[in-house]
Amino acid sequence: MKNYNIFLFSLFIVTLFACRPKPLEIDLPPFENQVVVISQVIPDALMTVALTNTIDALEFSESEGDSLNDNLLDQLLVSDAIVTISYRDQKDTLFPVTDGVYTSLFTPSYINENYVLDIKTDDHELRAESEMLPVVRFEEALPVLERIEEDTLVTFNFKIADEPGDNWYMINFYAQTDTITGELDLNSFLNSSNGNVLKKTELLSDLAFDNNQFEGTIDLPSISPSDTMFVTLSNINEDYYDYLQIRQSSTNFFTELTKEPVSLPTNVEGGIGFFNTHFPDVKVYDLKEF
């Protein structure tokens, strides 16, 4: 019987390869470089924009030993761009703080104000607009540590009140650790030397709210009980919510360089990515105190 099973398996393999169609030659259009926009707001202080280039996945192969070395990072990061943000009758010019990252000295956060991002490089001109939505704050927010025999489980209990109309919300969990792991985020990009890493993003639609209030519990398996945890709640628009939902279906941007491309929504004319101006409510917890 054992030999018979081996024979059937061998026959299956032979048949599989015998029936596989011949490869088709496909003419792909030439690769066109695009600029990717990521942004982040520090309320009433800074607006920060990170710019990266897309690269040709056909020329990048992990199987051939390619990695994120300095040469590849030089190709990814967009330096020498002119980046401005306009609002009301003002225009702020952002200055480079490191390769590919630009920030303002002081950009005020005006609720319901429209902000316009303009970017000029040697090869591209980009524009994006974003409205500063009203601030939404936690009504209740508390981490909970459940200590069991061999481990400690971290969860987060919260309650928020829904704003009038249709709304979408984002809760981000960051941890200050000594080890850099987690999803790519501008906060991580800027502060990776300090170990501030985005560990989890939870997206909420007010379709899940009951009586204009939402409360829940979020499991945080990637957060250690020895971490300092930063939690942010942001009121975001539907387009950015859709963008984040699709992005969550893929993995880290850097590890996706050699994978099947994912088509993400964008509000950037002349480029890709997303310019957003959400105003977060921020909570900080030293989990060693719980």
Side-chain angles (χ1 to χ4, degrees):
M1 178 61 70
K2 181 178 179 181
N3 291 336
Y4 178 71
N5 289 337
I6 294 174
F7 167 75
L8 287 180
F9 179 75
S10 301
L11 181 61
F12 169 75
I13 294 297
V14 171
T15 304
L16 175 66
F17 281 91
C19 296
R20 194 172 69 175
K22 294 181 179 180
L24 297 176
E25 292 186 4
I26 301 175
D27 292 328
L28 295 175
F31 171 74
E32 182 179 351
N33 169 262
Q34 290 183 290
V35 175
V36 184
V37 175
I38 309 170
S39 69
Q40 191 156 308
V41 173
I42 300 175
D44 287 323
L46 305 176
M47 283 195 181
T48 303
V49 175
L51 304 177
T52 60
N53 284 305
T54 56
I55 63 174
D56 189 351
L58 296 178
E59 294 183 1
F60 180 90
S61 174
E62 289 178 331
S63 63
E64 295 179 4
D66 289 341
S67 61
L68 283 174
N69 53 35
D70 290 341
N71 290 334
L72 181 57
L73 285 174
D74 287 342
Q75 296 178 48
L76 280 171
L77 303 176
V78 179
S79 302
D80 301 323
I82 299 175
V83 182
T84 62
I85 291 179
S86 303
Y87 53 95
R88 298 190 175 181
D89 294 326
Q90 303 293 321
K91 178 182 285 190
D92 295 342
T93 299
L94 281 63
F95 63 93
V97 292
T98 187
D99 289 344
V101 179
Y102 304 80
T103 191
S104 62
L105 282 172
F106 176 78
T107 299
S109 299
Y110 295 122
I111 301 303
N112 298 321
E113 182 69 24
N114 199 50
Y115 291 79
V116 179
L117 171 70
D118 286 294
I119 300 167
K120 292 184 179 180
T121 71
D122 291 339
D123 303 314
H124 300 89
E125 290 191 11
L126 299 82
R127 169 166 283 213
E129 299 185 19
S130 180
E131 180 184 356
M132 183 80 68
L133 297 177
V135 183
V136 174
R137 302 191 185 280
F138 287 110
E139 291 195 339
E140 296 179 9
L142 185 68
V144 176
L145 277 64
E146 180 183 356
R147 293 176 171 84
I148 56 180
E149 186 174 348
E150 296 181 355
D151 200 2
T152 300
L153 305 178
V154 180
T155 59
F156 182 72
N157 295 339
F158 69 95
K159 181 185 293 185
I160 60 178
D162 189 21
E163 287 287 311
D166 295 331
N167 297 287
W168 297 265
Y169 302 101
M170 172 180 68
I171 304 177
N172 279 337
F173 296 88
Y174 303 86
Q176 188 175 68
T177 62
D178 295 328
T179 304
I180 305 303
T181 58
E183 182 184 349
L184 175 69
D185 177 74
L186 184 54
N187 186 81
S188 309
F189 187 79
L190 289 172
N191 299 292
S192 59
S193 61
N194 297 324
N196 296 323
V197 179
L198 177 64
K199 293 291 188 174
K200 186 180 180 68
T201 295
E202 190 80 10
L203 300 174
L204 303 172
S205 166
D206 60 5
L207 294 176
F209 284 48
D210 184 23
N211 297 325
N212 298 322
Q213 194 173 66
F214 186 79
E215 57 184 313
T217 299
I218 300 173
D219 295 329
L220 300 172
S222 60
I223 301 288
S224 166
S226 62
D227 289 339
T228 297
M229 182 173 72
F230 303 81
V231 184
T232 64
L233 168 64
S234 301
N235 184 8
I236 61 177
N237 62 38
E238 184 178 11
D239 290 339
Y240 190 51
Y241 177 89
D242 292 340
Y243 167 83
L244 292 171
Q245 272 202 320
I246 296 174
R247 196 182 73 170
Q248 281 188 342
S249 66
S250 61
T251 55
N252 187 301
F253 169 78
F254 284 149
T255 64
E256 280 298 305
L257 290 174
T258 59
K259 306 297 190 301
E260 192 72 18
V262 176
S263 179
L264 291 171
T266 180
N267 67 345
V268 180
E269 298 177 11
I272 55 179
F274 220 96
F275 171 56
N276 66 79
T277 52
H278 57 79
F279 192 132
D281 181 26
V282 183
K283 304 290 185 183
V284 182
Y285 306 94
D286 183 350
L287 296 182
K288 293 189 292 294
E289 298 178 356
F290 288 84

